[in-house]
Amino acid sequence: MGNGLSSLATNLRLLALSVLAGAWDKPGLIERLEQALEYSPTDAAQLASRLLFHYEAGQPPSRQRLMAFLANEVSLQQRFASPDAKPPRLVLDPPRMGRPPERLITLPLPPLETRKDLAEWLGLFDHELAWFADLERRQCKVKESKLHHYRYQWIEKRSGKLRLIEIPKPRIKAIQRRILREILNRVPPHPAAHGFCRGRSCRSFVASHLGKPVLLRMDLKDFFHSVPIARIGALFRRVGYPAHVAWLLQGLTTHSTSPALAGEAFERLPWQRRKHLIDKHLPQGAPSFPALANLCAWRFDCRLQGVAERFGLDYTRYADDLAFSGDRNLLRLAPFLKGLIGAIAIEEGFEINHRKTRLRTQAQSQRLAGMVINQQPNLPREEFDRLKAILYNCTRWGPESQNREGVEDFRAHLEGRVAYALWLNPEKGRRLKDLWRYIQWSE
Protein backbone atom coordinates (compact mmCIF):
# COMPACT_ATOMS: atom_id res chain seq x y z
CA MET A 1 0.00 0.00 0.00
CA GLY A 2 2.71 2.41 1.03
CA ASN A 3 4.82 1.59 -2.04
CA GLY A 4 1.80 2.11 -4.30
CA LEU A 5 1.12 5.55 -2.86
CA SER A 6 4.80 6.45 -3.07
CA SER A 7 4.95 5.29 -6.70
CA LEU A 8 1.83 7.29 -7.59
CA ALA A 9 3.21 10.44 -5.96
CA THR A 10 6.52 10.00 -7.79
CA ASN A 11 4.80 9.57 -11.14
CA LEU A 12 2.59 12.59 -10.56
CA ARG A 13 5.61 14.67 -9.55
CA LEU A 14 7.52 13.68 -12.69
CA LEU A 15 4.52 14.45 -14.86
CA ALA A 16 3.91 17.80 -13.15
CA LEU A 17 7.56 18.80 -13.67
CA SER A 18 7.28 17.96 -17.35
CA VAL A 19 3.99 19.79 -17.81
CA LEU A 20 5.33 22.95 -16.11
CA ALA A 21 8.66 22.88 -17.95
CA GLY A 22 7.57 24.98 -20.93
CA ALA A 23 5.09 27.56 -22.17
CA TRP A 24 1.59 27.25 -20.69
CA ASP A 25 -0.33 27.16 -23.94
CA LYS A 26 -2.15 24.42 -25.85
CA PRO A 27 0.55 23.54 -28.44
CA GLY A 28 3.26 23.37 -25.76
CA LEU A 29 1.14 21.30 -23.38
CA ILE A 30 0.15 18.83 -26.11
CA GLU A 31 3.76 18.37 -27.16
CA ARG A 32 5.01 17.74 -23.61
CA LEU A 33 2.12 15.39 -22.74
CA GLU A 34 2.77 13.34 -25.89
CA GLN A 35 6.45 12.98 -24.93
CA ALA A 36 5.95 12.36 -21.21
CA LEU A 37 3.03 9.90 -21.41
CA GLU A 38 3.44 8.65 -24.99
CA TYR A 39 -0.13 9.78 -25.55
CA SER A 40 -1.81 10.01 -28.90
CA PRO A 41 -2.32 13.57 -30.15
CA THR A 42 -6.05 13.28 -29.43
CA ASP A 43 -5.62 12.16 -25.80
CA ALA A 44 -2.93 14.79 -25.20
CA ALA A 45 -5.14 17.51 -26.70
CA GLN A 46 -8.07 16.52 -24.46
CA LEU A 47 -5.96 16.62 -21.29
CA ALA A 48 -4.36 19.92 -22.38
CA SER A 49 -7.83 21.41 -22.94
CA ARG A 50 -8.92 20.38 -19.45
CA LEU A 51 -5.80 21.92 -17.95
CA LEU A 52 -6.36 25.22 -19.77
CA PHE A 53 -10.03 25.21 -18.77
CA HIS A 54 -9.03 25.20 -15.10
CA TYR A 55 -5.87 27.31 -15.43
CA GLU A 56 -6.04 29.86 -18.24
CA ALA A 57 -3.28 30.36 -20.79
CA GLY A 58 -0.19 32.12 -19.50
CA GLN A 59 -1.05 31.40 -15.85
CA PRO A 60 0.24 27.95 -14.84
CA PRO A 61 -0.64 26.61 -11.38
CA SER A 62 1.87 25.72 -8.69
CA ARG A 63 3.35 22.22 -8.81
CA GLN A 64 1.29 21.15 -5.78
CA ARG A 65 -1.99 22.31 -7.36
CA LEU A 66 -1.14 20.65 -10.65
CA MET A 67 -0.32 17.36 -8.89
CA ALA A 68 -3.68 17.51 -7.08
CA PHE A 69 -5.45 18.12 -10.40
CA LEU A 70 -3.63 15.26 -12.16
CA ALA A 71 -4.36 12.90 -9.25
CA ASN A 72 -8.09 13.29 -9.98
CA GLU A 73 -7.72 12.38 -13.68
CA VAL A 74 -9.36 8.97 -14.17
CA SER A 75 -7.15 8.05 -17.13
CA LEU A 76 -3.99 8.73 -15.09
CA GLN A 77 -5.34 6.84 -12.08
CA GLN A 78 -5.86 3.77 -14.27
CA ARG A 79 -2.46 4.17 -15.93
CA PHE A 80 -0.49 4.46 -12.68
CA ALA A 81 -2.55 1.93 -10.66
CA SER A 82 -0.54 -1.04 -11.86
CA PRO A 83 2.70 -1.81 -9.97
CA ASP A 84 4.36 -2.39 -13.37
CA ALA A 85 3.16 0.94 -14.77
CA LYS A 86 5.77 2.71 -16.87
CA PRO A 87 6.70 6.05 -15.25
CA PRO A 88 6.30 9.19 -17.34
CA ARG A 89 9.35 10.54 -19.13
CA LEU A 90 10.86 13.68 -17.70
CA VAL A 91 10.62 16.40 -20.35
CA LEU A 92 12.49 19.58 -19.54
CA ASP A 93 12.13 22.21 -22.26
CA PRO A 94 14.30 25.32 -22.17
CA PRO A 95 12.37 27.97 -20.17
CA ARG A 96 10.59 30.62 -22.22
CA MET A 97 8.68 33.79 -21.51
CA GLY A 98 4.98 32.99 -21.27
CA ARG A 99 2.26 34.84 -23.11
CA PRO A 100 0.81 37.58 -20.85
CA PRO A 101 -2.92 38.43 -20.83
CA GLU A 102 -4.19 40.31 -23.89
CA ARG A 103 -4.34 43.67 -22.12
CA LEU A 104 -0.65 43.34 -21.14
CA ILE A 105 0.69 41.84 -24.34
CA THR A 106 2.17 45.11 -25.67
CA LEU A 107 4.09 45.99 -22.50
CA PRO A 108 7.83 46.56 -23.17
CA LEU A 109 9.06 44.22 -20.44
CA PRO A 110 12.63 42.88 -20.42
CA PRO A 111 12.77 39.23 -21.63
CA LEU A 112 14.14 37.23 -18.67
CA GLU A 113 13.79 33.54 -19.46
CA THR A 114 16.44 32.02 -17.19
CA ARG A 115 18.21 32.65 -13.93
CA LYS A 116 21.29 33.61 -15.94
CA ASP A 117 19.28 36.21 -17.89
CA LEU A 118 18.05 37.76 -14.64
CA ALA A 119 21.56 37.84 -13.12
CA GLU A 120 23.02 39.48 -16.23
CA TRP A 121 20.18 42.02 -16.40
CA LEU A 122 20.86 43.04 -12.79
CA GLY A 123 24.65 42.88 -13.17
CA LEU A 124 25.05 40.18 -10.51
CA PHE A 125 27.01 36.95 -10.18
CA ASP A 126 24.92 33.83 -9.58
CA HIS A 127 25.84 33.60 -5.90
CA GLU A 128 25.00 37.30 -5.42
CA LEU A 129 21.56 36.78 -6.98
CA ALA A 130 20.88 33.92 -4.54
CA TRP A 131 22.09 36.03 -1.60
CA PHE A 132 19.93 39.04 -2.44
CA ALA A 133 16.83 36.98 -3.31
CA ASP A 134 17.13 35.05 0.00
CA LEU A 135 14.66 32.35 -1.01
CA GLU A 136 15.64 30.31 2.06
CA ARG A 137 14.89 33.18 4.49
CA ARG A 138 18.39 33.30 5.96
CA GLN A 139 18.21 37.05 6.51
CA CYS A 140 15.89 36.60 9.51
CA LYS A 141 18.72 34.73 11.29
CA VAL A 142 21.44 37.30 10.61
CA LYS A 143 22.80 38.99 13.74
CA GLU A 144 25.48 41.23 12.21
CA SER A 145 24.32 44.43 10.53
CA LYS A 146 27.04 44.34 7.87
CA LEU A 147 25.66 41.02 6.55
CA HIS A 148 22.10 42.31 6.41
CA HIS A 149 20.37 43.89 3.39
CA TYR A 150 18.21 46.34 5.39
CA ARG A 151 18.36 48.91 8.17
CA TYR A 152 15.45 49.22 10.59
CA GLN A 153 13.73 52.32 11.92
CA TRP A 154 10.76 52.46 14.27
CA ILE A 155 8.18 55.26 13.86
CA GLU A 156 5.39 55.94 16.33
CA LYS A 157 1.91 56.21 14.80
CA ARG A 158 -0.68 58.74 15.98
CA SER A 159 -2.39 55.85 17.78
CA GLY A 160 0.77 55.25 19.82
CA LYS A 161 1.59 51.94 18.10
CA LEU A 162 4.95 51.39 16.44
CA ARG A 163 5.54 51.01 12.70
CA LEU A 164 8.65 49.28 11.39
CA ILE A 165 10.30 50.95 8.38
CA GLU A 166 12.68 48.56 6.61
CA ILE A 167 15.19 50.64 4.62
CA PRO A 168 17.14 48.72 1.95
CA LYS A 169 20.88 49.24 1.72
CA PRO A 170 22.30 50.72 -1.52
CA ARG A 171 22.85 47.51 -3.53
CA ILE A 172 19.45 45.89 -2.89
CA LYS A 173 17.81 49.32 -3.30
CA ALA A 174 19.40 49.69 -6.75
CA ILE A 175 18.09 46.24 -7.71
CA GLN A 176 14.59 47.11 -6.53
CA ARG A 177 14.67 50.45 -8.35
CA ARG A 178 15.49 48.71 -11.60
CA ILE A 179 12.67 46.19 -11.12
CA LEU A 180 10.36 49.10 -10.36
CA ARG A 181 11.48 51.21 -13.32
CA GLU A 182 11.64 48.54 -16.02
CA ILE A 183 8.93 46.06 -14.94
CA LEU A 184 6.45 47.33 -12.34
CA ASN A 185 6.05 50.87 -13.68
CA ARG A 186 5.26 49.45 -17.12
CA VAL A 187 2.29 47.43 -15.83
CA PRO A 188 -0.76 49.71 -15.52
CA PRO A 189 -2.52 49.65 -12.11
CA HIS A 190 -6.29 49.49 -11.77
CA PRO A 191 -7.99 52.79 -12.76
CA ALA A 192 -9.45 53.07 -9.24
CA ALA A 193 -5.96 53.03 -7.61
CA HIS A 194 -4.53 56.55 -7.15
CA GLY A 195 -1.82 56.21 -4.50
CA PHE A 196 1.82 56.03 -5.68
CA CYS A 197 0.73 55.96 -9.34
CA ARG A 198 2.37 58.12 -12.00
CA GLY A 199 -0.02 60.83 -13.22
CA ARG A 200 -2.38 60.37 -10.27
CA SER A 201 -2.52 62.04 -6.86
CA CYS A 202 -4.70 62.69 -3.85
CA ARG A 203 -6.59 65.24 -5.98
CA SER A 204 -7.46 62.63 -8.61
CA PHE A 205 -8.40 60.30 -5.73
CA VAL A 206 -11.09 62.69 -4.46
CA ALA A 207 -12.16 64.14 -7.84
CA SER A 208 -15.05 61.74 -8.45
CA HIS A 209 -16.42 62.28 -4.92
CA LEU A 210 -16.61 66.10 -4.93
CA GLY A 211 -20.04 67.46 -4.10
CA LYS A 212 -21.63 64.01 -3.66
CA PRO A 213 -24.59 63.82 -1.23
CA VAL A 214 -23.12 60.87 0.74
CA LEU A 215 -19.54 59.64 1.25
CA LEU A 216 -18.51 56.28 2.73
CA ARG A 217 -14.84 56.08 3.77
CA MET A 218 -13.18 52.83 4.86
CA ASP A 219 -9.61 51.87 5.79
CA LEU A 220 -7.57 48.71 5.23
CA LYS A 221 -5.72 47.49 8.30
CA ASP A 222 -1.93 47.09 7.75
CA PHE A 223 -2.47 47.17 3.99
CA PHE A 224 1.14 46.92 2.82
CA HIS A 225 2.12 44.13 5.20
CA SER A 226 -1.12 42.26 4.42
CA VAL A 227 -0.32 41.64 0.74
CA PRO A 228 -0.11 37.81 0.43
CA ILE A 229 3.44 36.81 -0.46
CA ALA A 230 2.30 34.23 -3.02
CA ARG A 231 0.46 36.96 -4.92
CA ILE A 232 3.75 38.79 -5.59
CA GLY A 233 5.25 35.78 -7.35
CA ALA A 234 1.95 35.21 -9.15
CA LEU A 235 2.06 38.80 -10.41
CA PHE A 236 5.46 38.27 -12.05
CA ARG A 237 4.25 34.99 -13.56
CA ARG A 238 1.12 36.66 -14.86
CA VAL A 239 3.12 39.18 -16.90
CA GLY A 240 4.95 36.30 -18.56
CA TYR A 241 8.04 35.36 -16.53
CA PRO A 242 8.85 31.64 -16.00
CA ALA A 243 8.19 30.29 -12.51
CA HIS A 244 11.80 30.23 -11.30
CA VAL A 245 12.44 33.81 -12.53
CA ALA A 246 9.19 34.97 -10.90
CA TRP A 247 10.23 33.43 -7.57
CA LEU A 248 13.61 35.18 -7.74
CA LEU A 249 11.91 38.51 -8.51
CA GLN A 250 9.58 37.86 -5.59
CA GLY A 251 12.58 37.20 -3.34
CA LEU A 252 14.35 40.38 -4.46
CA THR A 253 11.34 42.57 -3.60
CA THR A 254 10.43 40.96 -0.26
CA HIS A 255 12.21 40.61 3.07
CA SER A 256 12.22 38.58 6.29
CA THR A 257 12.97 40.66 9.39
CA SER A 258 15.85 39.80 11.72
CA PRO A 259 14.59 40.00 15.36
CA ALA A 260 18.19 40.37 16.57
CA LEU A 261 18.67 43.56 14.53
CA ALA A 262 15.15 44.98 14.90
CA GLY A 263 15.74 45.88 18.56
CA GLU A 264 13.66 45.65 21.72
CA ALA A 265 10.60 47.18 20.07
CA PHE A 266 10.25 44.01 17.99
CA GLU A 267 9.75 41.89 21.11
CA ARG A 268 6.90 44.14 22.29
CA LEU A 269 4.86 43.42 19.15
CA PRO A 270 2.03 40.86 19.30
CA TRP A 271 3.09 37.30 18.50
CA GLN A 272 1.14 37.19 15.21
CA ARG A 273 2.75 40.43 14.05
CA ARG A 274 6.25 39.17 14.90
CA LYS A 275 5.63 35.95 12.98
CA HIS A 276 4.44 37.88 9.95
CA LEU A 277 7.57 40.06 9.92
CA ILE A 278 9.91 37.06 10.25
CA ASP A 279 8.21 35.47 7.23
CA LYS A 280 8.77 36.98 3.79
CA HIS A 281 6.71 40.15 3.32
CA LEU A 282 6.68 43.47 1.47
CA PRO A 283 9.20 45.73 3.25
CA GLN A 284 7.67 49.14 3.97
CA GLY A 285 10.56 51.35 2.92
CA ALA A 286 11.66 49.61 -0.28
CA PRO A 287 11.19 51.63 -3.51
CA SER A 288 9.23 48.78 -5.12
CA PHE A 289 6.71 48.13 -2.33
CA PRO A 290 3.96 50.68 -3.23
CA ALA A 291 3.77 49.59 -6.88
CA LEU A 292 3.72 45.92 -5.91
CA ALA A 293 0.95 46.51 -3.36
CA ASN A 294 -1.17 48.34 -5.96
CA LEU A 295 -0.71 45.65 -8.61
CA CYS A 296 -1.36 42.82 -6.14
CA ALA A 297 -4.64 44.52 -5.17
CA TRP A 298 -5.88 44.49 -8.81
CA ARG A 299 -8.53 41.80 -8.23
CA PHE A 300 -9.60 43.47 -4.98
CA ASP A 301 -10.11 46.75 -6.86
CA CYS A 302 -11.98 44.95 -9.65
CA ARG A 303 -14.41 43.42 -7.17
CA LEU A 304 -15.02 46.69 -5.34
CA GLN A 305 -15.46 48.48 -8.68
CA GLY A 306 -18.08 45.88 -9.56
CA VAL A 307 -19.89 46.49 -6.25
CA ALA A 308 -19.83 50.25 -6.89
CA GLU A 309 -21.23 49.88 -10.41
CA ARG A 310 -23.93 47.50 -9.20
CA PHE A 311 -25.27 50.11 -6.77
CA GLY A 312 -24.59 53.22 -8.84
CA LEU A 313 -21.64 54.47 -6.74
CA ASP A 314 -18.18 55.90 -7.46
CA TYR A 315 -15.17 54.04 -6.03
CA THR A 316 -11.50 55.00 -5.68
CA ARG A 317 -8.60 53.80 -3.52
CA TYR A 318 -5.52 55.67 -2.27
CA ALA A 319 -3.19 53.07 -0.71
CA ASP A 320 -5.23 51.83 2.27
CA ASP A 321 -8.06 54.42 2.01
CA LEU A 322 -11.25 53.24 0.27
CA ALA A 323 -13.87 55.78 -0.82
CA PHE A 324 -17.44 55.22 -2.08
CA SER A 325 -19.83 58.05 -2.88
CA GLY A 326 -23.32 58.39 -4.31
CA ASP A 327 -26.80 59.76 -3.72
CA ARG A 328 -28.73 59.53 -0.46
CA ASN A 329 -29.62 55.93 -1.23
CA LEU A 330 -26.12 55.14 0.07
CA LEU A 331 -27.35 55.91 3.61
CA ARG A 332 -29.74 52.97 3.37
CA LEU A 333 -27.21 50.68 1.68
CA ALA A 334 -24.29 51.48 4.01
CA PRO A 335 -24.79 48.69 6.62
CA PHE A 336 -25.04 46.05 3.88
CA LEU A 337 -22.07 47.48 1.95
CA LYS A 338 -19.86 47.54 5.04
CA GLY A 339 -20.41 43.81 5.54
CA LEU A 340 -20.00 42.99 1.85
CA ILE A 341 -16.80 45.02 1.46
CA GLY A 342 -15.42 43.49 4.66
CA ALA A 343 -16.10 39.98 3.34
CA ILE A 344 -14.44 40.77 -0.03
CA ALA A 345 -11.41 42.19 1.79
CA ILE A 346 -11.01 39.00 3.85
CA GLU A 347 -11.31 36.82 0.74
CA GLU A 348 -8.56 38.86 -0.92
CA GLY A 349 -6.21 38.61 2.08
CA PHE A 350 -6.94 42.05 3.59
CA GLU A 351 -8.91 43.32 6.59
CA ILE A 352 -11.08 46.39 7.11
CA ASN A 353 -10.27 48.59 10.11
CA HIS A 354 -13.88 49.23 11.11
CA ARG A 355 -12.89 51.80 13.74
CA LYS A 356 -11.95 54.18 10.91
CA THR A 357 -15.12 53.68 8.85
CA ARG A 358 -17.02 56.96 8.35
CA LEU A 359 -20.34 57.75 6.66
CA ARG A 360 -20.85 61.46 5.97
CA THR A 361 -23.52 63.56 4.23
CA GLN A 362 -23.24 67.03 2.69
CA ALA A 363 -24.48 68.49 5.97
CA GLN A 364 -21.29 67.20 7.63
CA SER A 365 -17.59 67.66 6.92
CA GLN A 366 -16.71 65.07 4.26
CA ARG A 367 -13.01 64.28 4.55
CA LEU A 368 -10.70 62.19 2.39
CA ALA A 369 -6.89 62.03 2.44
CA GLY A 370 -6.74 64.95 4.88
CA MET A 371 -8.94 67.16 2.67
CA VAL A 372 -12.47 68.51 3.02
CA ILE A 373 -14.31 67.67 -0.23
CA ASN A 374 -17.89 68.86 0.26
CA GLN A 375 -17.64 71.15 -2.80
CA GLN A 376 -13.97 71.30 -3.85
CA PRO A 377 -10.68 70.14 -2.29
CA ASN A 378 -9.80 72.27 0.74
CA LEU A 379 -7.66 72.13 3.82
CA PRO A 380 -9.74 71.48 6.96
CA ARG A 381 -10.82 74.80 8.49
CA GLU A 382 -8.79 74.32 11.67
CA GLU A 383 -5.63 73.51 9.68
CA PHE A 384 -6.09 76.48 7.34
CA ASP A 385 -6.65 78.86 10.25
CA ARG A 386 -3.62 77.49 12.10
CA LEU A 387 -1.37 77.92 9.06
CA LYS A 388 -2.73 81.41 8.45
CA ALA A 389 -2.02 82.36 12.08
CA ILE A 390 1.54 81.02 11.85
CA LEU A 391 2.18 83.05 8.69
CA TYR A 392 0.72 86.20 10.24
CA ASN A 393 2.81 85.81 13.38
CA CYS A 394 5.89 85.23 11.21
CA THR A 395 5.32 88.59 9.51
CA ARG A 396 4.86 90.32 12.87
CA TRP A 397 7.28 88.58 15.25
CA GLY A 398 9.66 86.81 12.86
CA PRO A 399 9.73 83.18 11.72
CA GLU A 400 12.02 82.08 14.57
CA SER A 401 9.23 82.71 17.06
CA GLN A 402 6.90 80.23 15.29
CA ASN A 403 9.28 77.30 14.90
CA ARG A 404 8.12 75.72 18.17
CA GLU A 405 8.80 72.16 17.04
CA GLY A 406 12.39 72.89 16.04
CA VAL A 407 12.03 72.02 12.34
CA GLU A 408 15.51 72.05 10.80
CA ASP A 409 14.61 73.93 7.59
CA PHE A 410 11.57 75.88 8.76
CA ARG A 411 11.45 78.04 5.63
CA ALA A 412 11.20 75.05 3.27
CA HIS A 413 8.72 73.39 5.63
CA LEU A 414 6.43 76.42 5.67
CA GLU A 415 6.80 77.02 1.94
CA GLY A 416 5.76 73.42 1.27
CA ARG A 417 2.61 73.77 3.37
CA VAL A 418 1.66 76.98 1.55
CA ALA A 419 2.33 75.37 -1.84
CA TYR A 420 0.11 72.41 -0.90
CA ALA A 421 -2.75 74.71 0.13
CA LEU A 422 -2.33 76.68 -3.13
CA TRP A 423 -2.39 73.44 -5.14
CA LEU A 424 -5.58 72.24 -3.46
CA ASN A 425 -7.51 75.49 -3.74
CA PRO A 426 -5.77 78.32 -5.66
CA GLU A 427 -8.29 80.95 -4.54
CA LYS A 428 -7.88 80.36 -0.82
CA GLY A 429 -4.21 79.48 -1.19
CA ARG A 430 -3.42 82.92 -2.62
CA ARG A 431 -4.28 84.50 0.73
CA LEU A 432 -1.60 82.39 2.37
CA LYS A 433 0.84 83.10 -0.44
CA ASP A 434 0.36 86.85 0.07
CA LEU A 435 1.21 86.52 3.76
CA TRP A 436 4.23 84.38 2.89
CA ARG A 437 5.69 87.18 0.74
CA TYR A 438 5.74 89.58 3.71
CA ILE A 439 7.87 87.32 5.91
CA GLN A 440 11.38 88.65 6.52
CA TRP A 441 13.80 85.73 6.48
CA SER A 442 17.23 86.13 8.03
CA GLU A 443 20.00 84.99 5.69
Side-chain angles (χ1 to χ4, degrees):
M1 181 72 175
N3 291 336
L5 288 175
S6 176
S7 176
L8 176 62
T10 300
N11 289 334
L12 290 175
R13 188 177 297 110
L14 288 172
L15 181 56
L17 287 170
S18 298
V19 171
L20 293 171
W24 191 261
D25 54 33
K26 193 166 185 177
L29 287 173
I30 291 174
E31 182 181 356
R32 292 194 298 280
L33 288 170
E34 287 179 358
Q35 294 179 32
L37 296 172
E38 299 180 358
Y39 264 5
S40 68
T42 302
D43 292 337
Q46 290 176 351
L47 181 52
S49 297
R50 289 195 292 274
L51 285 167
L52 291 173
F53 177 80
H54 286 84
Y55 309 103
E56 60 183 284
Q59 300 179 56
S62 65
R63 189 178 67 187
Q64 290 76 14
R65 286 191 175 185
L66 181 58
M67 287 176 61
F69 176 87
L70 295 173
N72 291 321
E73 280 290 313
V74 176
S75 60
L76 295 178
Q77 291 175 357
Q78 295 171 350
R79 178 189 177 107
F80 297 141
S82 170
D84 301 324
K86 184 178 178 181
R89 291 175 56 196
L90 185 60
V91 180
L92 298 178
D93 293 345
R96 291 183 294 170
M97 288 282 289
R99 179 184 175 88
E102 289 297 327
R103 65 182 180 82
L104 303 178
I105 202 166
T106 59
L107 298 182
L109 301 178
L112 306 172
E113 297 183 341
T114 65
R115 181 191 186 103
K116 182 181 178 182
D117 291 339
L118 179 60
E120 289 179 352
W121 181 66
L122 293 172
L124 300 174
F125 293 108
D126 191 65
H127 67 278
E128 291 179 316
L129 178 60
W131 186 51
F132 283 119
D134 190 32
L135 297 180
E136 298 177 0
R137 293 178 51 248
R138 294 180 179 177
Q139 283 283 295
C140 66
K141 301 173 184 177
V142 171
K143 297 182 179 179
E144 294 183 46
S145 179
K146 64 181 179 181
L147 298 176
H148 208 55
H149 300 325
Y150 288 77
R151 293 182 291 107
Y152 299 137
Q153 181 178 345
W154 293 93
I155 295 178
E156 188 173 353
K157 302 180 185 178
R158 284 183 294 179
S159 62
K161 295 182 180 179
L162 293 175
R163 170 181 291 152
L164 177 61
I165 304 298
E166 297 162 301
I167 306 167
K169 291 182 179 179
R171 289 199 70 189
I172 187 68
K173 181 184 286 187
I175 291 170
Q176 292 169 345
R177 284 193 184 281
R178 183 156 195 189
I179 294 172
L180 172 66
R181 185 174 60 251
E182 300 189 30
I183 297 179
L184 301 177
N185 278 349
R186 296 179 180 181
V187 181
H190 192 278
H194 292 263
F196 313 104
C197 299
R198 185 176 298 173
R200 306 179 196 176
S201 64
C202 55
R203 282 192 67 176
S204 65
F205 167 57
V206 305
S208 60
H209 307 292
L210 296 174
K212 291 296 180 67
V214 183
L215 172 71
L216 174 63
R217 188 184 78 207
M218 305 183 78
D219 182 84
L220 292 173
K221 187 176 182 180
D222 292 328
F223 169 61
F224 295 112
H225 285 154
S226 298
V227 174
I229 186 69
R231 196 168 294 175
I232 299 170
L235 167 67
F236 288 114
R237 295 184 70 182
R238 184 171 178 79
V239 297
Y241 291 109
H244 59 289
V245 173
W247 290 330
L248 286 167
L249 289 169
Q250 171 187 299
L252 291 168
T253 53
T254 56
H255 176 56
S256 54
T257 304
S258 168
L261 297 176
E264 296 180 0
F266 184 85
E267 300 301 327
R268 297 200 298 269
L269 295 175
W271 173 84
Q272 187 176 10
R273 182 80 176 125
R274 295 201 306 270
K275 182 180 183 302
H276 178 79
L277 289 172
I278 291 174
D279 291 335
K280 278 278 197 172
H281 61 275
L282 272 183
Q284 196 166 352
S288 54
F289 93 93
L292 275 172
N294 271 336
L295 294 173
C296 289
W298 173 274
R299 191 171 68 176
F300 178 63
D301 287 328
C302 286
R303 296 182 68 181
L304 294 192
Q305 184 68 48
V307 170
E309 291 176 359
R310 169 65 180 80
F311 295 104
L313 306 174
D314 287 303
Y315 162 69
T316 56
R317 177 178 62 82
Y318 192 97
D320 55 357
D321 287 335
L322 313 177
F324 296 84
S325 63
D327 56 26
R328 295 192 66 83
N329 194 39
L330 180 53
L331 290 172
R332 179 179 59 83
L333 290 170
F336 168 74
L337 287 176
K338 291 176 186 177
L340 177 61
I341 294 166
I344 291 174
I346 290 173
E347 289 174 1
E348 295 298 324
F350 303 112
E351 182 182 354
I352 297 294
N353 187 351
H354 291 287
R355 293 181 181 179
K356 294 186 177 181
T357 298
R358 298 290 183 271
L359 183 66
R360 294 288 184 265
T361 67
Q362 276 273 303
Q364 300 167 297
S365 177
Q366 296 176 330
R367 299 194 180 193
L368 271 182
M371 292 176 276
V372 177
I373 62 163
N374 290 62
Q375 295 299 330
Q376 58 182 330
N378 274 309
L379 287 177
R381 173 63 65 84
E382 63 275 12
E383 187 175 339
F384 180 86
D385 290 345
R386 188 182 307 115
L387 180 56
K388 184 179 178 181
I390 291 173
L391 292 169
Y392 175 77
N393 288 337
C394 284
T395 63
R396 188 170 183 182
W397 310 108
E400 294 80 7
S401 66
Q402 301 303 303
N403 189 10
R404 298 185 177 93
E405 297 178 1
V407 177
E408 185 175 349
D409 191 346
F410 186 60
R411 180 172 183 170
H413 167 76
L414 209 54
E415 187 175 15
R417 292 178 64 181
V418 172
Y420 178 65
L422 189 65
W423 177 68
L424 283 184
N425 189 329
E427 184 178 346
K428 291 184 69 175
R430 273 194 291 271
R431 303 180 212 168
L432 302 178
K433 188 69 174 178
D434 290 341
L435 284 172
W436 162 263
R437 292 194 182 100
Y438 286 106
I439 300 176
Q440 298 295 320
W441 297 96
S442 57
E443 297 298 334

